[in-house]
Amino acid sequence: MTVLSTFIRERRKSLGMTQPELAEKAGTGLRFIRDLEQGKKTLRMDKVNQVLDLFGYELRPVEQKREQ
């Protein structure tokens, strides 16, 4: 399980939503929601963002400062 999958599941449950309801509201398939909540390693970032958008979040790259 990943931090993202745990966040999605807990957020969905706190809002009293089922997986099918979340899939419908996000415009994704039920299988995608199940894969997301189970921590599947390869998911489309645009679809993840469709789900996160419902909760007011967005997945995006973060700049890292590297020592040389």
Side-chain angles (χ1 to χ4, degrees):
M1 190 111 21
T2 66
V3 173
L4 179 62
S5 62
T6 300
F7 173 80
I8 297 292
R9 179 184 296 109
E10 288 177 359
R11 190 74 172 154
R12 173 181 61 78
K13 287 184 176 185
S14 74
L15 295 171
M17 294 171 60
T18 64
Q19 287 181 335
E21 290 170 335
L22 178 58
E24 184 177 334
K25 287 181 189 269
T28 66
L30 178 56
R31 181 176 180 131
F32 178 81
I33 297 298
R34 288 181 175 154
D35 287 346
L36 177 58
E37 289 192 2
Q38 290 174 2
K40 183 177 177 183
K41 301 280 185 205
T42 55
L43 294 169
R44 288 182 40 188
M45 191 169 162
D46 61 328
K47 288 189 170 277
V48 172
N49 276 329
Q50 280 179 240
V51 176
L52 287 174
D53 186 54
L54 292 174
F55 307 135
Y57 290 88
E58 176 184 38
L59 184 65
R60 60 184 166 163
V62 176
E63 183 179 348
Q64 293 181 352
K65 296 184 180 187
R66 298 183 180 188
E67 295 182 31
Q68 296 186 11

